[in-house]
Amino acid sequence: MSLLQKIQHQRHDFTHRAFDRHIRLGVTGLSGSGKTAFITSLVYQLTQGDHPANLPFFDVVREQRYLGGKLSAQLPDMPRFPLEQNLQYLLQASPQWPPSTVGSSRLGLQLRYKATTGLRARLQSHSELSLDIIDYPGEWLLDLPLMEMSYQQWCEFSWQLFNREHRAALAQPFLQQLQDADLANDGELYVQQLTDSYKQLLQQYHDLPGAYLNQPGRLLVPGPLAGAPMLQLFPLLPQQAAQNTALVAKLTQHYDSYCKHVIKPFYRRYFAALDRQVILVDCLSALNAGYAATQELRQALRLILQSFNYGPSSLLSRLFKPQISKVLFAATKADHTTPEQHKALTLLLQQLLQQPLKHSQYQAATTEAMAIAAIRSSNSGFVQLDGLAQPCISGSTLQHEAVTYFPGDVPTNLPTPALFAQHQFAFIPLAPLPWQEPEPLPHVRMDHVLQFILGDKLR
Amino acid sequence: MSLLQKIQHQRHDFTHRAFDRHIRLGVTGLSGSGKTAFITSLVYQLTQGDHPANLPFFDVVREQRYLGGKLSAQLPDMPRFPLEQNLQYLLQASPQWPPSTVGSSRLGLQLRYKATTGLRARLQSHSELSLDIIDYPGEWLLDLPLMEMSYQQWCEFSWQLFNREHRAALAQPFLQQLQDADLANDGELYVQQLTDSYKQLLQQYHDLPGAYLNQPGRLLVPGPLAGAPMLQLFPLLPQQAAQNTALVAKLTQHYDSYCKHVIKPFYRRYFAALDRQVILVDCLSALNAGYAATQELRQALRLILQSFNYGPSSLLSRLFKPQISKVLFAATKADHTTPEQHKALTLLLQQLLQQPLKHSQYQAATTEAMAIAAIRSSNSGFVQLDGLAQPCISGSTLQHEAVTYFPGDVPTNLPTPALFAQHQFAFIPLAPLPWQEPEPLPHVRMDHVLQFILGDKLR
């Protein structure tokens, strides 16, 4: 092989490898946190919204090196994120939020750009990066702690939770039913009947603002597991779970199967393949729901962070070698407050994460917290009040009534019970702003999001 | 090792192997053919109904060698057949048919019996056989022929079907939509919109008595495949499918993916593991629905039989080595006719199968056809009519009105269009007979079914 051939061969090789550059981005968040809006916006910004004026803090766009993004061929047998359908909801005369997805979906993008320096810039006219966006319910991450608990410990954990102020009333009927339970009875019908009662309770909690910790994560949306014995699962009262009875034995067996056949495979096959992760958090709804809700959100985030703690003694590093290198925590719906409150919202999110972050001392991933709105639902401005300019936002309620108002201050610290007793937070849900193509899809800080997630890979 | 030890060792080994004896029984049938009632009865007969008076033609029971059956531990992560729930429907004061299952489920049994002769009889006090019952929709078998067709051929096949007498009217709106279709448009929204229209048509066909051939089988019940691109699939008009356009290319790609990611894996992973198969056929409903329905049922059975044709040139033998050795075709709901008509019902089923059976000359499996009722819904007797004893049945309609009547003759040959023009078959659906445990669950010929499926393995 001549030197020229060798160089050409290497060059070909390099091009090929360059073409293979690939990022798998996980997007998650608890139910209602805004996953659908986030992914819809992210993809739209990367494919249609790549103007410096729209994404000023996304380096590759600002430097005019971004050549464009397009949807790539989808895996034929994986649920696909319904991007086009979602955009239709936003393009209506009275725009609506697209419906939330159930379970997991995927969307692939091919991004093309000019590299700045290095071999790539010299050898190629353009570089490519393929981006896989994988969306899954945050509730799946809340299952991880089950693997470190026994069935009995889970019962204790669950009933401590159900006894809290905002949850206790709903739990009464199920509590009553368990108190009268026949622990010697492990018959199919009986176990299913108690499971159905627990499912009903979980559904009520799911619909209750501020109840985040609903386990096991697959009981409400079983998908292909519907009817599998291990989904006959509910927490007995702790004093019951300590007894050696037929019912306890059966539930323990189902609990162990759930860990083995649901939780482990999710982390091994799914989570292990992710390179970067976005976690969406709706702090404002927690404030609306009161003190107990903010405490439970903090606890849920602490449990979720365990999935990003790869220290030598962590549960995950015993399961597989994780490779997530960047985690973004985003406080969504920032546009439901006035712009000068965004800083406070970011600080509040950081405070929610602070204690957990301190605990995960071996954490290998870079984390960042920011306040965003993936798709804007308000414009901000000022009204004159007693001669003073008072900040305000204007938009439409979900019932399409126009409103202009000051939604109130966002606390920079988790408020105390005393403050909640005096003050009711009320961040009203708003509909998306009217929007027509080819205008850019209005957002708050999606350019910062893109820079954090992709900036280093698009140099 | 002493001789004694050696013998004991061998004996232990043999016992172990004997214990491992295993039969995987597939149970299928087109929607509405009675799968749920069949499995419920089969399991009940094997676990609670093992008296010679109840199962006179099941050798192992008649010879009093059957020691009993019990449910075995279930796979924790596979949907379980809801036996106990189904029995509850039958035990009500006004019994109802249990709801039909969606997708596939499994139930395992451990059967214990005394062997008659041979090594097993001498070495063991009892023998065991484990039976796995795997239930899946017959519609999945109707997908097999897709693998031998191109997308274009499937379009031709589908529109020939949709143009038939009993189907043409319903297809009109979709036909119209396709005639106006933009073949250059392969946009996500457009393809989804046409798929939604086709799904609507398939749903209407599914609810239409006598429309059996609804492809692809997973479009109406996608399960975990919901949202996967390959399920954007519908048959264009044949003259459209012959053109080289973007829409044709996309649909062809989805069609090929469906064959690769749905049909092949079902046969390889699922069907390949079955040892015996029961196929339930509701001939009476086809007669009620008229000539076109009986013709379509015959065609559907011919396609289903392809899955049991293992000849050297068959499609299946190129995919894997099938091992199904016995196939039972059962005409269900025999108790909706008077007993002297059961012979005719069996002959009718044989006639429906005759042509296909002739074609599958390399068929390795033993097949049998019989008329059965898994769970009885009528008692039979006689009424005096003009001094003559006229056979009749008595039961309750699905609205729980008591009825006693002669449902009419079952033809022994497929009736001609002329006969259908003069005569309306009307086999009325009946509710299950009232039943209380521990009475045996009343049936027609479930002992023959058990003898054919299991008799040789319980010698």
Side-chain angles (χ1 to χ4, degrees):
Chain A
M1 200 184 273
S2 75
L3 186 62
L4 185 64
Q5 280 178 321
K6 230 179 205 164
I7 291 175
Q8 280 174 339
H9 186 74
Q10 279 178 344
R11 185 166 161 168
H12 177 78
D13 242 43
F14 185 84
T15 319
H16 190 72
R17 248 189 302 139
F19 197 86
D20 268 352
R21 292 171 64 239
H22 202 127
I23 284 203
R24 287 201 188 76
L25 173 68
V27 176
T28 195
L30 298 169
S31 171
S33 59
K35 291 187 287 294
T36 304
F38 180 85
I39 298 172
T40 303
S41 174
L42 185 84
V43 175
Y44 195 82
Q45 309 301 347
L46 284 170
T47 52
Q48 310 287 331
D50 50 330
H51 323 298
N54 183 44
L55 301 172
F57 284 91
F58 189 23
D59 288 356
V60 70
V61 168
R62 194 194 55 240
E63 294 162 6
Q64 304 198 307
R65 295 185 291 105
Y66 191 69
L67 303 173
K70 63 174 174 45
L71 296 182
S72 52
Q74 302 303 314
L75 298 179
D77 56 340
M78 274 275 294
R80 176 184 186 277
F81 182 79
L83 176 74
E84 296 80 358
Q85 287 83 342
N86 293 343
L87 288 171
Q88 294 304 304
Y89 283 87
L90 300 171
L91 286 166
Q92 294 174 119
S94 295
Q96 290 184 326
W97 294 110
S100 28
T101 49
V102 168
S104 172
S105 73
R106 182 192 164 279
L107 199 66
L109 288 176
Q110 203 66 27
L111 312 181
R112 192 171 276 202
Y113 66 102
K114 280 186 200 149
T116 44
T117 52
L119 211 52
R120 237 186 338 263
R122 266 174 287 145
L123 291 177
Q124 300 171 316
S125 65
H126 66 266
S127 306
E128 300 221 6
L129 178 70
S130 72
L131 172 66
D132 257 342
I133 301 167
I134 292 131
D135 143 51
Y136 62 89
E139 282 73 8
W140 294 4
L141 296 179
L142 288 176
D143 272 348
L144 182 67
L146 268 59
M147 291 192 57
E148 288 196 304
M149 296 185 215
S150 64
Y151 172 66
Q152 198 188 329
Q153 287 170 324
W154 180 59
C155 293
E156 282 159 20
F157 176 88
S158 297
W159 282 101
Q160 269 178 24
L161 189 69
F162 301 165
N163 284 330
R164 288 198 203 144
E165 185 195 339
H166 62 313
R167 284 183 175 257
L170 282 177
Q172 270 306 315
F174 184 56
L175 176 67
Q176 194 74 53
Q177 206 180 353
L178 287 188
Q179 279 165 343
D180 301 337
D182 173 6
L183 296 184
N185 187 351
D186 68 346
E188 180 69 22
L189 283 176
Y190 189 61
V191 180
Q192 186 58 47
Q193 184 195 329
L194 289 171
T195 300
D196 288 342
S197 299
Y198 182 58
K199 258 165 97 164
Q200 203 183 331
L201 177 60
L202 269 190
Q203 184 63 56
Q204 290 173 318
Y205 281 149
H206 178 267
D207 300 339
L208 178 75
Y212 301 100
L213 268 165
N214 300 315
Q215 298 167 325
R218 309 291 171 108
L219 204 55
L220 288 184
V221 186
L225 300 170
M230 66 181 172
L231 289 190
Q232 288 180 329
L233 188 54
F234 55 86
L236 285 168
L237 299 173
Q239 63 275 24
Q240 297 176 320
Q243 295 172 47
N244 189 4
T245 72
L247 183 58
V248 173
K250 186 158 206 172
L251 290 171
T252 302
Q253 199 190 335
H254 291 180
Y255 181 88
D256 294 343
S257 294
Y258 186 87
C259 290
K260 185 175 163 197
H261 294 288
V262 174
I263 308 179
K264 262 194 193 176
F266 165 70
Y267 279 94
R268 282 225 171 108
R269 285 182 216 154
Y270 222 92
F271 192 81
L274 300 179
D275 302 307
R276 290 166 184 209
Q277 176 70 53
V278 174
I279 297 171
L280 305 173
V281 187
D282 180 0
C283 302
L284 301 176
S285 298
L287 289 173
N288 284 348
Y291 179 71
T294 56
Q295 291 303 308
E296 187 165 329
L297 178 57
R298 180 154 73 166
Q299 190 180 5
L301 289 173
R302 189 175 73 222
L303 295 181
I304 284 179
L305 266 173
Q306 287 189 6
S307 297
F308 303 95
N309 174 3
Y310 313 144
S313 63
S314 80
L315 178 59
L316 276 193
S317 59
R318 274 175 279 147
L319 273 180
F320 65 90
K321 204 171 135 42
Q323 56 187 26
I324 293 177
S325 57
K326 287 189 156 198
V327 184
L328 173 67
F329 289 89
T332 54
K333 309 182 188 177
D335 59 345
H336 287 57
T337 69
T338 45
E340 87 289 353
Q341 301 293 326
H342 293 183
K343 178 81 188 163
L345 184 55
T346 309
L347 289 171
L348 178 68
L349 176 60
Q350 279 172 341
Q351 232 224 341
L352 280 166
L353 295 168
Q354 198 170 24
Q355 201 196 350
L357 278 175
K358 226 185 291 169
H359 278 277
S360 56
Q361 48 179 317
Y362 291 102
Q363 195 168 306
T366 314
T367 60
E368 174 133 358
M370 55 179 83
I372 69 162
I375 297 168
R376 279 195 90 111
S377 57
S378 75
N379 288 307
S380 59
F382 291 89
V383 286
Q384 291 297 324
L385 204 72
D386 302 333
L388 288 170
Q390 166 77 33
C392 68
I393 57 174
S394 65
S396 296
T397 65
L398 299 182
Q399 294 74 39
H400 301 291
E401 287 164 46
V403 284
T404 296
Y405 64 111
F406 174 62
D409 286 322
V410 177
T412 53
N413 280 304
L414 271 184
T416 58
L419 189 114
F420 276 107
Q422 306 161 14
H423 179 71
Q424 167 68 56
F425 291 95
F427 300 100
I428 318 169
L430 297 174
L433 284 179
W435 167 64
Q436 286 305 322
E437 287 186 291
E439 285 170 38
L441 185 62
H443 64 84
V444 178
R445 275 185 214 94
M446 284 302 284
D447 48 345
H448 290 263
V449 168
L450 289 167
Q451 180 59 27
F452 179 74
I453 298 170
L454 298 174
D456 59 327
K457 291 287 176 182
L458 297 172
R459 274 204 208 116
Chain B
M1 200 187 273
S2 77
L3 186 62
L4 185 64
Q5 281 178 321
K6 229 180 205 164
I7 291 174
Q8 280 174 339
H9 187 74
Q10 279 178 344
R11 183 166 161 169
H12 176 78
D13 242 43
F14 185 83
T15 318
H16 190 73
R17 248 189 303 138
F19 198 87
D20 267 353
R21 292 170 64 240
H22 202 127
I23 283 203
R24 286 200 188 76
L25 172 68
V27 176
T28 195
L30 297 170
S31 172
S33 59
K35 291 186 288 294
T36 303
F38 181 85
I39 298 173
T40 303
S41 174
L42 186 85
V43 175
Y44 195 82
Q45 309 302 346
L46 284 170
T47 53
Q48 310 287 331
D50 50 329
H51 324 298
N54 184 44
L55 301 172
F57 284 90
F58 190 23
D59 289 355
V60 70
V61 168
R62 193 191 59 239
E63 295 162 6
Q64 302 199 308
R65 295 186 290 105
Y66 191 69
L67 303 173
K70 62 175 176 43
L71 296 183
S72 51
Q74 303 302 316
L75 297 179
D77 56 340
M78 273 275 292
R80 177 185 186 275
F81 182 78
L83 176 74
E84 296 80 359
Q85 288 82 342
N86 292 344
L87 289 171
Q88 294 303 304
Y89 283 87
L90 300 171
L91 287 166
Q92 294 174 120
S94 295
Q96 290 185 326
W97 294 111
S100 30
T101 49
V102 168
S104 173
S105 73
R106 182 192 164 280
L107 199 67
L109 288 176
Q110 203 65 28
L111 311 181
R112 192 172 275 203
Y113 66 102
K114 281 186 200 149
T116 45
T117 51
L119 211 52
R120 238 188 336 265
R122 268 175 285 145
L123 289 179
Q124 299 172 317
S125 64
H126 66 265
S127 306
E128 301 220 6
L129 178 71
S130 72
L131 172 66
D132 258 341
I133 301 166
I134 293 130
D135 143 51
Y136 62 90
E139 282 75 7
W140 294 5
L141 296 180
L142 288 177
D143 273 348
L144 182 68
L146 268 58
M147 291 191 57
E148 289 197 303
M149 296 185 215
S150 65
Y151 171 67
Q152 198 190 328
Q153 287 169 323
W154 180 60
C155 294
E156 282 159 19
F157 176 88
S158 298
W159 282 102
Q160 268 178 23
L161 190 68
F162 302 164
N163 284 332
R164 287 198 204 146
E165 184 194 339
H166 62 314
R167 285 184 175 255
L170 282 178
Q172 270 306 313
F174 185 55
L175 175 67
Q176 194 72 53
Q177 206 179 355
L178 286 188
Q179 278 166 343
D180 302 336
D182 174 7
L183 297 184
N185 187 352
D186 68 346
E188 180 70 23
L189 283 176
Y190 190 61
V191 181
Q192 187 58 47
Q193 183 195 331
L194 289 171
T195 299
D196 289 342
S197 299
Y198 182 58
K199 258 166 98 164
Q200 203 182 333
L201 177 60
L202 269 190
Q203 184 63 56
Q204 291 173 316
Y205 282 150
H206 178 267
D207 301 339
L208 178 74
Y212 301 100
L213 268 165
N214 299 316
Q215 298 167 326
R218 309 291 171 107
L219 203 56
L220 289 183
V221 186
L225 300 171
M230 65 181 171
L231 289 190
Q232 288 180 329
L233 188 53
F234 55 88
L236 284 168
L237 299 173
Q239 62 276 25
Q240 297 176 321
Q243 295 172 48
N244 189 4
T245 71
L247 184 57
V248 174
K250 185 158 207 173
L251 290 171
T252 303
Q253 199 190 338
H254 290 179
Y255 182 88
D256 294 342
S257 294
Y258 186 86
C259 290
K260 183 175 165 199
H261 294 289
V262 174
I263 308 178
K264 262 194 191 174
F266 164 70
Y267 279 94
R268 281 225 171 107
R269 287 182 215 153
Y270 223 92
F271 192 82
L274 300 179
D275 302 306
R276 287 162 188 213
Q277 175 70 53
V278 173
I279 297 171
L280 305 173
V281 186
D282 180 1
C283 301
L284 300 177
S285 299
L287 289 174
N288 284 348
Y291 178 72
T294 57
Q295 292 303 309
E296 187 166 329
L297 178 58
R298 181 156 74 165
Q299 190 180 4
L301 289 173
R302 188 175 75 222
L303 296 181
I304 284 178
L305 266 172
Q306 288 189 5
S307 296
F308 303 96
N309 175 2
Y310 313 145
S313 63
S314 79
L315 179 58
L316 276 194
S317 60
R318 274 174 279 145
L319 272 181
F320 64 91
K321 205 173 134 39
Q323 56 186 26
I324 293 177
S325 57
K326 286 188 156 199
V327 183
L328 173 66
F329 289 89
T332 53
K333 310 183 188 178
D335 59 344
H336 287 57
T337 69
T338 45
E340 86 289 352
Q341 301 293 325
H342 294 183
K343 178 81 187 161
L345 184 56
T346 308
L347 289 171
L348 179 67
L349 175 60
Q350 278 171 344
Q351 231 224 342
L352 281 166
L353 295 168
Q354 199 171 25
Q355 200 196 351
L357 278 175
K358 226 184 290 168
H359 279 276
S360 55
Q361 47 178 318
Y362 290 102
Q363 195 167 305
T366 313
T367 59
E368 174 134 357
M370 55 179 83
I372 68 161
I375 298 169
R376 279 195 90 110
S377 58
S378 74
N379 288 308
S380 60
F382 291 89
V383 285
Q384 291 298 324
L385 203 71
D386 303 331
L388 287 170
Q390 166 77 34
C392 68
I393 57 174
S394 64
S396 296
T397 65
L398 298 182
Q399 294 75 39
H400 300 292
E401 288 166 44
V403 283
T404 297
Y405 65 110
F406 174 63
D409 286 323
V410 177
T412 53
N413 281 303
L414 270 185
T416 58
L419 189 113
F420 276 108
Q422 304 160 16
H423 179 71
Q424 168 68 57
F425 291 95
F427 300 98
I428 319 168
L430 297 174
L433 285 179
W435 167 63
Q436 287 305 322
E437 288 186 291
E439 284 170 38
L441 185 61
H443 64 85
V444 178
R445 277 184 212 95
M446 284 302 283
D447 48 345
H448 291 262
V449 168
L450 289 167
Q451 180 60 25
F452 178 75
I453 298 171
L454 298 174
D456 59 327
K457 292 287 177 182
L458 297 173
R459 277 205 206 114

